[in-house]
Amino acid sequence: MASEPAAPILSDVMTACQGLGRADLLRRLRFAEARLSRPSTLVCVVGEYKQGKSMLVNALVGSDVCPVDDGVATVAFTAVSVADAPSARVRRSLEGTSTVEEIDLDDVADLVSERGDPEARTGLDLVEIGVPSEVLSKGLTLVDTPGVGGLLDRHATATLRFLRVADAVLFVTDASQELTASEVEFLQSARDCCADVIVAVTKIDLYPAWAKIVDLDREHLDDRGLDLDPIAVSAATHREAQDRRLADLDTESGIPRLRNHLVHSVMEGARERAEEHARAESRWTVQRLREPLLAELTALEDPERLGEAVERLRAAEQRFAALQAGGARWSTVLNDGFTDLRADVDHRLRSGIRAILAELDERVDAADPAESWDELHRWLQERLVTLVDELLASVDAQSAAVNEQIAALLLVEVPPALQLGGGPALGVDDVWGASDRSLKARKGGLLASGLTALRGGSSGTILLGMVARFAGIALATPVSLGVAVAFGVKQVADVRQQELSRRRQEARAVARRFVEEVSIEAGNRLHRLVQELHRGLRDDYSTRLQEMTRSAAAAVAGLRASSETDLQTRRDRAMRLRAWLDHLDGLLDRLPAEVEP
Amino acid sequence: MSELLDRVDRLCEEATALADVSASSSASVIRDRLEEPLRVAIAGRVKAGKSTLLNALVGERLAPTDAGECTRIVTWYRQGTGYEVEATRRGGGTAPLRFDRIEGALAVDLDGVDVDEILRLTVRWPSSRLARMTLIDTPGLESLDEQRSLRTRELFGVGTDHPNEVDAVIYLLRHLHPSDQAFLDAFLDRSLTQPSPVNAVAVLSRADEIGAGRIDALDSARSIAARYLADDRVRALCATVVPVAGLIAETGYTLREDEVATLRSLVTVDASELDLLLVSVDRFCAPGVSPLTVESRRDLLWRLGLFGVRFCLRELRLDPTLTASEMARRLVAASGVEDLVEVLDEHLAPRADALKARSALVALRALAGDLAAADPSSARELERRIERVEAGSHELAELRLLHLVLTGQVQLSDEERAEIDHLTRPGGATERLGLPPDAPIGQQQAHALARLEHWRARARHPLSPRVLSDACEIVAESYERLYVGAGSVSG
């Protein structure tokens, strides 16, 4: 749908707010404005070990933010976004609490690479790096991820989870060889999680046959129905081109082409979402501005009904006040919804763990743990990761359902009192329903849709942080959960000489302890996620209700003031109000609500 | 033939007598294996550089290599008196095949036979290296063509009914990858009769590409290999990790005079221009920049890679009089292939007999298993005899010991680990005892006795876990044999 760009309208709406003395409505608009100027776009850079992911991120960003080393691989998720000055911070989850800690940029290398002390990575969810960069200033966030191997690999599972909140996936494979079975398998899953997948073939400076490899890759992708066109790049050539200031060499590096692709076509979706968000917020705000003006004008034009109008507005004000109070129905629905959600998560986690333990017993009894231990270990880990993944998806879907329920409820409960005279009906669903409509086209629920309230808080990385915490579970297992020793093969190997029953007993004990640790940790993290979603929703609805209350209060004040003045002043006032309303109606005309498909 | 091999040989003979016709032919196959050189397979993921490494080890370009995935069939390279290639069909039976050589590499004419019908190709070639070990080139694991990966798994007996056909493996890794680990795990059979990092050597392959082809790429590769080796998980899987730039070695062994002449004319190009030529492969082959044709530059890249070209040009700049043979020598030396040969000679070759005996015993055990249904009493008898040979062989016990120590199932200090590695290495008594070669018999005996007592005490310590006690007993027995051996020399 071709509509007017949102930015100039947004700016006009902000001017109107100021002119009408409603600075309280500006906060939200400013955020929408910021999002417009920098539509947050999350691009996950994924690929197998040592394919040149970090180096590619550095080349795209134009600065050496990710540590690059011949032999050392990245082992932590690292989000790179724009900042005025280089900075770094670390998000961790430790014993049920989240921490954010500023760190020195020089310490990043050890933290995110396998060279560093594994202890330092305890509870590590995400490293965030801020850096001045032209490309990033447009709103791009690049997430450098640990290399993934086969699909059953824990890193891969964690990475896939990230992809659910990503706007695009940049898959990195080098030109030394054609795509392997596990790479293609991963690409297929990535495609299911994220609509926009880009394949970059790196290190083309080094391999004479890179063009042939790119062709082979294209064929393999075609064979599997993946309609992806690989982009050949060389971060090394790009660097040489920068050093020598050779534009043609830079073109050969393929980096400008990839960067363009990211900035233009990948960011297009994010830009559209930001536009739609800005329009929805503008519509909401114009309504809040119109209400008191319209009420006052109606009263001015028909003084007999003045008293009645004041009464109705008072009633509306009280109604809003009541809606903000703790016992309001929407608030009960919200609290009950999340209480149920919490109980449901607990229940499913418990029964999931019970099922795993039961199957564990069967498996231990069916074979000699001395022989089957490795397989058992792998199976157990996979089952646990899958369980946590399912629970996460369920929290996502259920919280989205609660949100919809509240939106529907408020649509009924918010009094039509302010609708004095004609004019468009007050649309609660305008913001609560429609603003996320464009997002619903994306896969997943509340998390994936990037609920405005959550994504809007301060930056997109809040959402990233939440997901990182769960990626953490898969990655951390079992080292940072403190069961590494117990889960080592050695212990079981030692008992090889003992009797079978004894071996089984020991294997069962070790495995059970591991399951227990994971279930406690996963339970904690899920609870925290539920809590954050709960709070995010509550804050969003409360703020909006406050804004509506102020509109009602402003209307009452306006009516009082005009009732106390003489006829001429009232006429002047009515004229000004009409002029304002014409202006606002003009704004609304420029803001067509998106039609439900 | 060693005493152990003799005993296994006799066991095969007995098995032939015990078993029915089909089993007895299997037994004679097992027996034939004892006479052969050690079978060493070169395995790894797709495009890890297996064929290139095989060529480097033989010192001749034989296995075809290409940018795309290339090796489709398991190919055995054996010592031969003449040059021949034959195909072994899945159903049994072999047929000679015609072949050509294109730029050295074998181009085998399968004569219309479907690739899936062929169990393996066997190339017989006169080569001193092949006289010492049979090398087996394998299709890559993780291939998009699952059939190819399956053929390699078959060879190793992973996840199939086929017995393992190889005695040792050179495993190529580019960077440690989960599928590498999973494969090696599977290869290293867990049954106690088959100890393992003992017979696996890892190669960090395509080492010249690791540091983006920079001139210090091989230093980088060496430090990475060292870091891998410091990791217990890696040490539990392979004896050591050697960085090798297979392409550099292969080209080093086959470098031609005209190639060096081409390199020489490149050195004359203006320094800043040459510098820009070496930025990327595209620049190097860009038309109209240097006195050389695009084709000759492209050929150079195929043969040497960007690292190799950079390396040769540096050598030529430092010493413009360098001869082609000296350049070849330097390439081979830089490639690291000699280090690998040294590891093979020191680590695998001396234990060849024990490794072969072990493979044969595993195969015989499988045969006894097959026999069990038809003829339970003969099967039981065969198993009893296998056990007797296994239990009676101190060489096998030492392999088992080494396995326990190397995999970290028995935890020892680094010094103790080194002591056991020395002790279990076939060689002279002084060497094994860690004494100077001219140490007098008396000193040897005293030392052996002291260590014997130390290890026996450790074995009998009431708090030692069972597995540690067993290991200490084996160490003690090795010293006891050395003690007795030294005595018999003096007596």
Side-chain angles (χ1 to χ4, degrees):
Chain A
M1 184 179 67
S3 44
E4 187 187 343
I9 312 177
L10 193 66
S11 146
D12 288 349
V13 174
M14 290 172 88
T15 313
C17 285
Q18 265 146 354
L20 288 166
R22 288 296 302 272
D24 63 307
L25 295 172
L26 285 174
R27 197 184 64 92
R28 220 189 273 285
L29 296 176
R30 286 207 186 98
F31 171 68
E33 191 184 36
R35 188 170 163 192
L36 256 190
S37 67
R38 190 184 294 165
S40 159
T41 305
L42 209 62
V43 176
C44 270
V45 185
V46 302
E48 299 206 335
Y49 290 108
K50 305 310 295 173
Q51 303 287 308
K53 291 183 291 296
S54 300
M55 198 154 167
L56 183 60
V57 169
N58 290 348
L60 289 169
V61 168
S63 128
D64 289 344
V65 285
C66 295
V68 172
D69 186 296
D70 292 347
V72 177
T74 306
V75 289
F77 289 88
T78 313
V80 187
S81 36
V82 73
D84 295 331
S87 61
R89 45 190 199 159
V90 182
R91 286 178 188 273
R92 291 178 198 272
S93 302
L94 287 172
E95 286 161 16
T97 54
S98 296
T99 63
V100 182
E101 174 199 347
E102 297 280 332
I103 60 162
D104 205 74
L105 263 179
D106 296 334
D107 296 337
V108 169
D110 274 354
L111 199 58
V112 307
S113 76
E114 63 185 349
R115 180 182 41 211
D117 178 11
E119 287 274 299
R121 288 195 291 275
T122 310
L124 179 68
D125 289 333
L126 182 70
V127 177
E128 294 176 16
I129 295 178
V131 66
S133 154
E134 208 206 312
V135 191
L136 299 183
S137 72
K138 300 186 168 97
L140 198 61
T141 295
L142 293 174
V143 182
D144 192 11
T145 65
V148 295
L151 259 187
L152 299 179
D153 184 40
R154 286 180 289 121
H155 282 258
T157 318
T159 302
L160 281 175
R161 202 166 296 140
F162 260 95
L163 302 192
R164 298 221 174 107
V165 295
D167 294 282
V169 178
L170 178 54
F171 186 86
V172 179
T173 175
D174 74 26
S176 69
Q177 66 178 83
E178 56 201 289
L179 289 167
T180 63
S182 60
E183 283 181 312
V184 170
E185 208 180 322
F186 183 85
L187 268 168
Q188 273 166 327
S189 318
R191 193 59 185 266
D192 292 341
C193 292
C194 187
D196 207 345
V197 178
I198 307 152
V199 176
V201 179
T202 57
K203 304 187 190 171
I204 60 163
D205 58 301
L206 208 53
Y207 299 98
W210 67 263
K212 183 175 174 192
I213 298 291
V214 171
D215 286 344
L216 285 169
D217 286 350
R218 196 176 287 121
E219 267 172 45
H220 291 318
L221 293 169
D222 267 1
D223 287 350
R224 279 152 189 81
L226 292 164
D227 176 26
L228 302 168
D229 188 24
I231 300 182
V233 294
S234 161
T237 305
H238 171 70
R239 170 164 297 219
E240 289 285 344
Q242 299 292 101
D243 291 351
R244 295 161 196 262
R245 299 179 189 285
L246 291 174
D248 57 335
L249 188 62
D250 201 28
T251 310
E252 281 171 37
S253 79
I255 296 290
R257 187 179 155 214
L258 178 59
R259 195 186 269 163
N260 250 335
H261 184 76
L262 286 176
V263 171
H264 293 114
S265 69
V266 171
M267 291 194 70
E268 196 47 47
R271 221 169 349 247
E272 272 167 25
R273 286 190 289 280
E275 287 267 321
E276 184 46 43
H277 174 227
R279 277 195 204 98
E281 291 291 13
S282 297
R283 273 195 300 275
W284 164 273
T285 308
V286 172
Q287 297 287 19
R288 303 291 82 73
L289 291 173
R290 278 180 90 251
E291 286 150 12
L293 302 186
L294 203 58
E296 195 183 337
L297 183 64
T298 315
L300 284 173
E301 283 173 344
D302 186 1
E304 311 236 310
R305 290 177 57 193
L306 183 71
E308 184 200 342
V310 171
E311 277 313 300
R312 280 174 59 186
L313 278 170
R314 278 245 179 79
E317 207 183 332
Q318 274 162 17
R319 189 89 188 85
F320 282 130
L323 277 173
Q324 284 177 69
R329 262 182 70 194
W330 72 268
S331 152
T332 313
V333 167
L334 179 73
N335 291 337
D336 289 356
F338 274 89
T339 307
D340 289 351
L341 177 52
R342 210 165 292 138
D344 183 60
V345 167
D346 276 344
H347 171 74
R348 289 170 67 161
L349 180 62
R350 264 202 311 274
S351 60
I353 293 288
R354 251 203 312 277
I356 291 178
L357 287 175
E359 202 182 326
L360 172 75
D361 285 347
E362 277 173 31
R363 279 175 181 258
V364 170
D365 287 337
D368 182 346
E371 306 284 332
S372 65
W373 182 252
D374 279 7
E375 196 196 319
L376 197 69
H377 170 176
R378 248 173 248 141
W379 165 81
L380 197 54
Q381 211 150 34
E382 212 181 294
R383 279 293 305 264
L384 286 168
V385 168
T386 312
L387 174 66
V388 172
D389 212 24
E390 278 167 15
L391 286 171
L392 189 62
S394 143
V395 167
D396 195 10
Q398 288 189 55
S399 53
V402 172
N403 184 36
E404 269 166 37
Q405 213 182 331
I406 295 173
L409 182 74
L410 283 177
L411 198 58
V412 178
E413 287 216 335
V414 167
L418 289 177
Q419 298 168 26
L420 304 169
L426 174 68
V428 178
D429 68 325
D430 198 25
V431 169
W432 287 325
S435 74
D436 278 339
R437 192 182 301 138
S438 63
L439 303 174
K440 275 180 194 150
R442 313 179 73 209
K443 293 162 186 167
L446 208 54
L447 277 176
S449 71
L451 176 75
T452 326
L454 293 174
R455 192 165 254 216
S458 59
S459 78
T461 51
I462 288 191
L463 199 64
L464 191 61
M466 285 187 180
V467 181
R469 220 181 288 145
F470 290 91
I473 284 197
L475 285 180
T477 316
V479 177
S480 66
L481 296 180
V483 288
V485 183
F487 215 60
V489 183
K490 283 166 196 144
Q491 188 168 338
V492 176
D494 275 349
V495 300
R496 210 165 267 174
Q497 307 293 331
Q498 301 164 4
E499 283 168 36
L500 184 61
S501 63
R502 179 83 189 283
R503 278 204 288 276
R504 287 191 171 135
Q505 207 181 342
E506 297 224 356
R508 221 183 329 254
V510 170
R512 276 180 171 271
R513 200 154 60 232
F514 173 68
V515 171
E516 206 172 286
E517 299 250 358
V518 173
S519 98
I520 290 172
E521 193 58 35
N524 281 340
R525 291 178 191 204
L526 282 164
H527 272 178
R528 212 138 29 84
L529 176 73
V530 170
Q531 211 171 22
E532 277 164 32
L533 286 169
H534 187 174
R535 195 182 308 138
L537 279 180
R538 191 176 53 215
D539 290 352
D540 189 53
Y541 281 109
S542 303
T543 321
R544 289 185 192 276
L545 285 167
Q546 256 166 33
E547 286 168 5
M548 294 172 92
T549 315
R550 286 214 191 93
S551 288
V556 172
L559 284 180
R560 283 239 173 80
S562 54
S563 67
E564 283 158 12
T565 51
D566 58 67
L567 189 65
Q568 186 56 43
T569 323
R570 290 219 297 254
R571 274 196 193 130
D572 291 350
R573 176 77 183 153
M575 248 170 67
R576 271 211 307 282
L577 288 176
R578 263 186 228 109
W580 266 116
L581 281 169
D582 283 348
H583 177 67
L584 293 178
D585 286 344
L587 285 176
L588 275 185
D589 286 344
R590 288 160 67 194
L591 289 164
E594 213 178 313
V595 187
E596 285 270 11
Chain B
M1 205 183 264
S2 71
E3 193 195 329
L4 171 61
L5 276 189
D6 272 342
R7 239 176 296 152
V8 178
D9 190 51
R10 272 201 303 281
L11 192 57
C12 289
E13 204 174 349
E14 289 161 20
T16 320
L18 273 174
D20 59 19
V21 183
S22 81
S24 84
S25 82
S26 316
S28 70
V29 169
I30 297 170
R31 198 175 170 191
D32 290 345
R33 247 177 100 166
L34 298 174
E35 310 271 346
E36 286 178 18
L38 195 70
R39 295 173 178 182
V40 182
I42 301 179
R45 293 181 88 203
V46 187
K47 297 305 299 166
K50 296 175 291 297
S51 298
T52 309
L53 184 73
L54 184 131
N55 292 341
L57 282 175
V58 180
E60 190 170 355
R61 193 168 147 78
L62 282 182
T65 55
D66 188 38
E69 198 183 328
C70 189
T71 308
R72 295 177 301 166
I73 308 173
V74 173
T75 311
W76 295 48
Y77 292 83
R78 290 171 177 277
Q79 160 75 354
T81 44
Y83 304 85
E84 17 175 82
V85 178
E86 71 180 22
T88 305
R89 285 184 178 251
R90 271 177 195 281
T94 59
L97 293 175
R98 273 169 308 182
F99 63 93
D100 232 334
R101 291 185 80 180
I102 297 171
E103 286 170 22
L106 294 172
V108 178
D109 179 5
L110 293 183
D111 203 15
V113 182
D114 185 13
V115 169
D116 292 330
E117 285 289 297
I118 298 175
L119 184 64
R120 64 165 172 261
L121 294 179
T122 305
V123 175
R124 286 181 218 281
W125 214 258
S127 152
S128 59
R129 172 61 51 193
L130 293 176
R132 290 153 81 184
M133 45 187 69
T134 296
L135 293 172
I136 306 168
D137 193 12
T138 64
L141 299 161
E142 280 283 321
S143 168
L144 270 168
D145 181 345
E146 281 171 29
Q147 278 303 321
R148 296 187 193 173
S149 299
L150 199 67
R151 282 177 211 138
T152 298
R153 288 176 191 281
E154 225 170 50
L155 174 75
F156 290 106
V158 176
T160 64
D161 295 334
H162 293 260
N164 184 352
E165 296 203 69
V166 306
D167 302 315
V169 64
I170 299 172
Y171 191 73
L172 270 61
L173 359 127
R174 296 188 54 194
H175 192 283
L176 210 51
H177 183 281
S179 68
D180 287 324
Q181 280 248 20
F183 172 76
L184 224 58
D185 268 345
F187 171 66
L188 304 175
D189 196 307
R190 261 166 210 63
S191 89
L192 281 173
T193 51
Q194 206 167 349
S196 305
V198 168
N199 65 349
V201 172
V203 164
L204 185 61
S205 66
R206 298 177 78 162
D208 51 327
E209 291 166 9
I210 282 169
R214 286 189 318 267
I215 202 78
D216 64 349
L218 292 168
D219 295 335
S220 245
R222 260 187 292 277
S223 70
I224 292 164
R227 203 159 45 220
Y228 281 170
L229 206 57
D231 186 332
D232 287 341
R233 288 171 308 169
V234 175
R235 269 211 303 250
L237 296 174
C238 57
T240 184
V241 184
V242 191
V244 177
L247 180 67
I248 302 295
E250 188 195 62
T251 304
Y253 282 122
T254 56
L255 191 70
R256 296 188 311 264
E257 198 70 54
D258 64 296
E259 289 169 327
V260 180
T262 312
L263 285 163
R264 261 203 198 93
S265 68
L266 261 182
V267 184
T268 62
V269 174
D270 170 65
S272 69
E273 207 175 302
L274 185 60
D275 214 27
L276 195 55
L277 266 182
L278 293 173
V279 162
S280 70
V281 291
D282 284 359
R283 283 279 151 155
F284 190 75
C285 298
V289 205
S290 86
L292 297 170
T293 62
V294 172
E295 286 69 33
S296 62
R297 279 177 280 155
R298 198 170 286 280
D299 287 346
L300 265 189
L301 265 191
W302 277 113
R303 291 274 287 156
L304 287 162
L306 207 49
F307 167 82
V309 173
R310 286 172 183 158
F311 177 85
C312 290
L313 291 179
R314 187 191 62 176
E315 298 298 305
L316 279 173
R317 238 174 302 182
L318 291 174
D319 180 4
T321 63
L322 212 59
T323 62
S325 61
E326 176 58 16
M327 179 65 87
R329 204 194 56 74
R330 288 190 189 180
L331 280 171
V332 171
S335 73
V337 73
E338 287 167 337
D339 300 337
L340 176 61
V341 170
E342 197 181 314
V343 167
L344 297 181
D345 285 349
E346 278 192 2
H347 191 82
L348 291 185
R351 295 185 177 119
D353 283 354
L355 290 173
K356 280 195 295 190
R358 193 198 55 165
S359 299
L361 287 170
V362 170
L364 282 171
R365 218 177 248 286
L367 189 118
D370 291 344
L371 197 61
D375 186 355
S377 72
S378 298
R380 264 199 306 280
E381 177 58 21
L382 183 54
E383 282 203 21
R384 208 178 49 76
R385 292 184 189 182
I386 293 168
E387 257 158 44
R388 208 165 50 205
V389 172
E390 276 176 357
S393 161
H394 187 65
E395 278 154 290
L396 289 177
E398 280 187 343
L399 275 192
R400 195 158 58 237
L401 165 71
L402 205 57
H403 171 75
L404 291 175
V405 172
L406 292 176
T407 52
Q409 289 179 51
V410 171
Q411 296 214 319
L412 298 172
S413 69
D414 283 349
E415 293 85 50
E416 287 171 323
R417 216 194 257 258
E419 179 184 342
I420 288 174
D421 191 29
H422 263 284
L423 179 69
T424 54
R425 195 172 288 181
T430 49
E431 200 185 328
R432 294 178 61 192
L433 287 168
L435 294 174
D438 53 356
I441 300 291
Q443 191 191 347
Q444 291 180 30
Q445 279 190 310
H447 183 77
L449 197 59
R451 298 314 295 160
L452 163 68
E453 279 164 0
H454 166 86
W455 285 98
R456 193 139 283 162
R458 264 199 92 165
R460 297 194 176 150
H461 192 281
L463 288 182
S464 290
R466 174 78 186 271
V467 65
L468 178 62
S469 297
D470 287 352
C472 293
E473 275 298 345
I474 301 173
V475 182
E477 196 186 331
S478 294
Y479 278 116
E480 191 173 349
R481 283 165 177 255
L482 282 172
Y483 175 77
V484 173
S488 70
V489 170
S490 73

